[in-house]
Amino acid sequence: MENKLRFYNTLTRKVEQFIPNVDGKVAMYTCGPTVYHFAHIGNLRSYIMEDLLEKTLRYIGYDVKRVMNITDVGHLSSDADTGEDKMLKGAKREHKTVMEIAKFYTDAFFQDCAKLNIKTPDVVEPATNCIPEFIHMIETLLEKGYAYEQGGNIYFDTSKLEEYYVFSNQNEQELLVGVRDDVDEDENKRNKSDFVLWFTKSKFDDQELKWESPWGLGYPGWHIECSCISMKHLGEYMDIHCGGVDNIFPHHTNEIAQSESYLGHKWCNYWFHVHHLNDKSGKMSKSKGDFLTVSLLESKGYDPVVYRMFCLQSHYRKPLEFSYEVLDNMSAAYEKLVKRIGSLQQEGELDQEQYRAYREKFESAICDDLNSSMAITVLYDMLKADISDATKYALAESFDQVLSLNLTTAHAAKAAENQVDAELEKYILSKIEERKAAKKEKDFAKADAIRAELLSQGIVLEDTREGVKWKRA
Ligand code: AMP
Ligand code: ZN
C-alpha cells in the first residue's frame, strides 16, 4: 500500500517517510505507566499523542498491533539504577502492598485514558507477568558476553557495543534528562554507563517482590521489561517504539543496547518521542507543586476531552506549557465547535467529491509529521465551506476517528444532560415546596423525612436567610 505518513524519527534525527517491515502492517510498542501513583496530565500528553499516531495509522489503512507494558517492578526514582524503587515508595506512602498499589493505579490509569478517548492498546502486559522471559534474555546476554555478574547483580556491559549513544552524538551529561532524584554511583559497575539487568543485592532490604533466578532471589531492572514484552508479542522486528522524551536516555538507549545484542540484528526502525508538558515552574511532577490529574481538572468543571484538544492544538515535538487560561479558551472553543456540528442536518445526499477532497486535506495535514493543529484547522475550514450539512457531518464523524473529540456526540450528550438537570431541578423544587408546607402545619417529622429522602439521592438542603437552597452532596 501507499506509505503516506511522515514523522520525526529520533534515531535518524529526521522527518522520514514511514515504511513498515511488512506492507500494510504496523508493529508498535509504547512504554506504559509506572503504576505507583496517578498519572499526571503530562504523562497523559504522551499517551494522547501516541494514540493520535496509532489512530492516524489506522485511518490511512494500516493494520496496527500495539503493545504496552505496565511497569509494576524495577523502576527506580532516578531512571538509572539509583534512588528508591517507585513501587515501594507508593506502597509505603499508602500502607498497602506493592500489588495492591499496582492494581489500583493501573485501573486509575485506564479510567483516565477512557475519559481522554485514548484507545487501550491491543496487548497490555504487566512486567511481573514476564519474569521467565526476562531471565531468559539475561542468560543469553551473559552467554554472549554482553553481561557480567558483580556484587550479586547482573549488569549490561556497554563497553562491548560499537555504539552505545545511538540517539545522538551528545555526551552522557547532556542526555541525562531522565535522572531526577539522588544519584549515587554503583561501585559494581565496570563502566559508568553500564546498567542493571537483574538485582539480587540492592539497598532495599525490604524489596517486596522477589523471584528465584539462576543468580539468586531478586528482581529485574526496569529496561529489560520493554525489550522482552515487545518481543513476546511483536517478534524480533518492530516498526515504531514510543515514549516521552525523558525515555530517550537512559531507558530507550538501554533497551536498544540489550535488544540488539540479544537478537544480533537491528530491532526497531522508528522511534517516536513526545515532548513534555510543563507547568509554570518547569517540569511537571507528582511530588512538587500542584499534582495535575484528570480528576483535578474534572473537579474544576473541565471536560477531559477539552484537555485532549489542548494537546492536539500543539505539536508533539514542542514543549507545551499548561495554563488554566488557555484551557478556559479551549473549553469555550470546544463548546462552540460541538454546538456547530450538533446543529448540522444529518440527513441528505453526500457530496462525494467534496467529501473526498476534505478527507484528503485532513489526511495530508495529519500525515505531515502529525500536524494535529493543522488537521483541526481543516475541520474548521470544512465547517465554514459551502457544502451540504450531511457532507459536513459525515466528514466531522470521519475526522473524529483520529481526533477523538466526541465531535458528533458531545452536543447531544450535553443536551440530554441538561434535560436531566432541568427535570431534577423541577423535582427538587417541588419537594422544597412540600417541605415548606409541612413545616407550616408543624409536621416536622414529615419535613425531616423530605430532607432525608433528598439526601439519600445526593441532594443537600440548606435553610438560608434568602430561603431554602439546594446543592449536590
Ligand atoms: P512513567 O509513569 O514515569 O513511566 O511515565 C509514563 C510516560 O509519561 C512516559 O512515556 C514518560 O516519558 C512520559 N512523561 C513523563 N513526564 C512527562 C511530561 N511532563 N510530559 C509528557 N510526557 C511525560
Ligand atoms: Zn519502556
Side-chain angles (χ1 to χ4, degrees), residues 29 31-32 69 222 226 241 251-252 255:
Y29 183 82
C31 287
N69 67 307
W222 172 37
C226 290
H241 194 310
H251 186 47
H252 290 165
E255 277 188 44

Side-chain angles (χ1 to χ4, degrees), residues 31-36 40-47 50 71 75 79 86 180 222 242-247 274-278 283-286:
C31 287
T34 309
V35 283
Y36 72 113
H40 58 52
I41 57 170
N43 301 127
L44 291 159
R45 180 192 188 196
S46 285
Y47 295 111
E50 293 162 6
T71 300
H75 191 174
D79 276 12
K86 290 190 178 193
R180 301 190 253 253
W222 172 37
C242 318
V245 278
D246 59 311
N247 284 159
V274 181
H275 277 257
H276 275 177
L277 178 81
N278 302 311
K283 195 172 180 304
M284 198 143 289
S285 159
K286 294 185 186 182

Side-chain angles (χ1 to χ4, degrees), residues 248-317:
I248 296 174
F249 186 82
H251 186 47
H252 290 165
T253 306
N254 292 349
E255 277 188 44
I256 294 178
Q258 66 204 3
S259 298
E260 297 194 349
S261 304
Y262 169 79
L263 293 168
H265 60 71
K266 189 169 180 191
W267 174 48
C268 176
N269 291 332
Y270 298 86
W271 289 80
F272 176 85
H273 290 110
V274 181
H275 277 257
H276 275 177
L277 178 81
N278 302 311
D279 55 24
K280 281 206 174 65
S281 62
K283 195 172 180 304
M284 198 143 289
S285 159
K286 294 185 186 182
S287 49
K288 297 169 209 118
D290 242 357
F291 182 3
L292 290 165
T293 59
V294 169
S295 318
L296 181 75
L297 296 187
E298 277 184 306
S299 74
K300 290 180 187 281
Y302 295 101
D303 178 345
V305 170
V306 169
Y307 175 65
R308 183 177 174 108
M309 180 147 156
F310 172 89
C311 292
L312 297 186
Q313 283 289 20
S314 136
H315 198 254
Y316 74 93
R317 275 204 288 134

Side-chain angles (χ1 to χ4, degrees), residues 311-343:
C311 292
L312 297 186
Q313 283 289 20
S314 136
H315 198 254
Y316 74 93
R317 275 204 288 134
K318 286 198 186 120
L320 177 60
E321 188 179 300
F322 178 77
S323 91
Y324 283 111
E325 213 184 323
V326 181
L327 201 63
D328 284 339
N329 292 338
M330 202 61 71
S331 246
Y334 178 71
E335 217 163 286
K336 256 173 92 178
L337 176 65
V338 294
K339 199 168 158 198
R340 171 91 186 80
I341 296 170
S343 70

